[in-house]
Amino acid sequence: MEPALAPATPLLPAFTHHQKVGFAHCDPAGIVFYPRYFEMVNATVEEWFETSLGFSFAKIHDDMAAAVPTVAINIDFRHPSRLGDVLEFRLHVTRLGRSSIDLQITAVQADDPDGPDRFTMTSTLVFTRKDIAGSAPWPADLRTALQHHINKQDQHDT
Amino acid sequence: MEPALAPATPLLPAFTHHQKVGFAHCDPAGIVFYPRYFEMVNATVEEWFETSLGFSFAKIHDDMAAAVPTVAINIDFRHPSRLGDVLEFRLHVTRLGRSSIDLQITAVQADDPDGPDRFTMTSTLVFTRKDIAGSAPWPADLRTALQHHINKQDQHDT
Amino acid sequence: MEPALAPATPLLPAFTHHQKVGFAHCDPAGIVFYPRYFEMVNATVEEWFETSLGFSFAKIHDDMAAAVPTVAINIDFRHPSRLGDVLEFRLHVTRLGRSSIDLQITAVQADDPDGPDRFTMTSTLVFTRKDIAGSAPWPADLRTALQHHINKQDQHDT
Amino acid sequence: MEPALAPATPLLPAFTHHQKVGFAHCDPAGIVFYPRYFEMVNATVEEWFETSLGFSFAKIHDDMAAAVPTVAINIDFRHPSRLGDVLEFRLHVTRLGRSSIDLQITAVQADDPDGPDRFTMTSTLVFTRKDIAGSAPWPADLRTALQHHINKQDQHDT
């Protein structure tokens, strides 16, 4: 029996976010310039925090005087994306730590959901507070929201 | 009777496009860094070409071997936008020329449509073709789409 | 006799800054995407504040708890720039107000300084402080640095 | 005796490129927003291709109708960078394949070269041609330039 948070098989998406590839994302080769993918990934993470967890980045930064920086990324770019493509970004939590979280993020063309991944990415985010150096434990309410999301995600997977 | 394309009073929006201010748009002062506004404006123009005119930028660039570069901008930044603001971009055509078009673009907070403009901007775009230098006349079908849009816009205004 | 700060003829550059057009600046048409010009213009303004005036943006933002936002831009894009072009940005002060400053900024190809302007731009920046709304008078030391720069610029022009 | 291209100890930099952290790179937390690091990394790679190898991206894209896309990245962000920091990017080749290359890239503060790495990154780039799908073998002249660079790099290391 495989553990819920370290799956060997592809996960069903727990959170999806659509973004269209615009002129601003594309390079002289006519495909998405890879730093722009990370802007799109960050927008996906922001949307997930706001709509799934109830903690917008505005709330985290302004009200909580905190941040959720990305501290590690591992990404394979598999298939180019072109101007006008509508991408479906899929975010899955693979580990919840005391002050960190691991995410698995992929993107496919929204109208071809079984088509090739544009990229597969894993990343680690940590919770930080402006008044102390280094990472800090997740606040109780945010941790509860994360755990609640993971429970729903796992039900979706099984 | 005021001329339809040079109104003295604020125009009703003919085309609107909502975009949320994300982390990628904001500067160390916590407000939108102005070059990012232009990325958002360009996304608005792209969305307008695609959904209102039926000419996506992918179609224009790839199929028609053409482009619609912005050749002039006049902008006043009136009110800062902050992380998490959902902005309503409003696009109005103010002049259609042989190979150019003038646009008036503003943005307000979507949930406060009568609130202050974040900026007011006028811009000029021209039609260009990859095989010839300088601007080129609008192709007949694109010109028809532009004129049709202006007619609807004017009916909306009156 | 024409006033020094409102010249009818092209000004000699008072401050120049070289930047190379990279992949990140270029669009699918292979030319600079105009929002990227504004990033380059902002880098020019930052470099000018730091090296000519002695006030880096880090100092202004962090130590002085202030900012110098751009509040108006008027720009004509005259000639496209391509991947690999080294551009010379030229900054000239055209007006110093109580809490604002007007700049004239152009760019040419560095190895063709008499060649066509890539764009001609005028902009207005204002001084703001984090503890008060709206603009604030230039602090005495920054105003002195601005006036000193303008004096040198005018000697250069005559 | 350790193999030259898979060192166990930190490498001496074979190619360095300085870039200043500007306003455009920084987020509301006042530190470099990580997608901007990738723009800076790409600028470093471009500068390396042009000045060390003699193959500018303009030459590769326009004259050779080719490209050198990044297909994989592994990065750890170790220490934040702030507005005004001058970063020294260090690029080292760790593997040369038939149609690919592995790079190791780090950045430190230029005036504190023994200070903490801002990030450590490995990436894989492949050579591609516009007229064929997938990767293509390095052209003979570019491969010679790469091998020549690696030879110099290894002499520097020993």
Side-chain angles (χ1 to χ4, degrees), chain D residues 26-158:
Chain D
C26 294
D27 68 16
I31 61 176
V32 171
F33 180 50
Y34 76 85
R36 312 292 170 227
Y37 271 134
F38 294 111
E39 296 182 43
M40 299 174 103
V41 162
N42 211 66
T44 300
V45 171
E46 288 173 68
E47 198 67 17
W48 174 62
F49 265 88
E50 179 166 356
T51 63
S52 289
L53 304 180
F55 286 77
S56 71
F57 267 39
K59 180 177 181 175
I60 292 173
H61 280 265
D62 298 336
D63 302 345
M64 299 166 64
V68 197
T70 297
V71 296
I73 293 172
N74 199 319
I75 189 166
D76 289 293
F77 300 101
R78 299 188 176 282
H79 197 78
S81 297
R82 299 189 178 282
L83 183 61
D85 286 356
V86 178
L87 299 183
E88 176 177 303
F89 290 79
R90 298 168 172 178
L91 182 154
H92 209 100
V93 181
T94 54
R95 186 187 62 84
L96 173 62
R98 197 184 65 98
S99 60
S100 66
I101 197 164
D102 287 355
L103 303 178
Q104 182 187 76
I105 300 174
T106 59
V108 296
Q109 192 155 337
D111 60 7
D112 183 20
D114 298 322
D117 284 335
R118 300 309 168 89
F119 63 81
T120 54
M121 168 177 168
T122 57
S123 65
T124 302
L125 283 69
V126 299
F127 187 77
T128 62
R129 291 169 45 173
K130 289 179 186 169
D131 57 351
I132 58 168
S135 61
W138 296 107
D141 51 359
L142 179 46
R143 184 181 184 83
T144 299
L146 284 164
Q147 190 60 60
H148 183 67
H149 176 82
I150 291 170
N151 293 345
K152 283 198 301 178
Q153 173 187 281
D154 294 347
Q155 290 175 340
H156 194 231
D157 292 347
T158 55

Side-chain angles (χ1 to χ4, degrees), chain A residues 7-8 44-45 50 55 64 68-69 78 84 88 110 114 125 129 138:
Chain A
T44 300
V45 170
E50 179 167 356
F55 286 78
M64 298 167 64
V68 197
R78 298 189 177 282
E88 176 177 302
D114 298 322
L125 285 69
R129 291 168 45 173
W138 295 107

Side-chain angles (χ1 to χ4, degrees), chain B residues 36 39 71 73-75 77, chain C residues 39 71 73-75 77:
Chain B
R36 311 293 169 226
E39 297 182 42
V71 297
I73 292 173
N74 200 319
I75 188 165
F77 300 101
Chain C
E39 298 182 41
V71 296
I73 292 172
N74 200 319
I75 189 165
F77 301 101

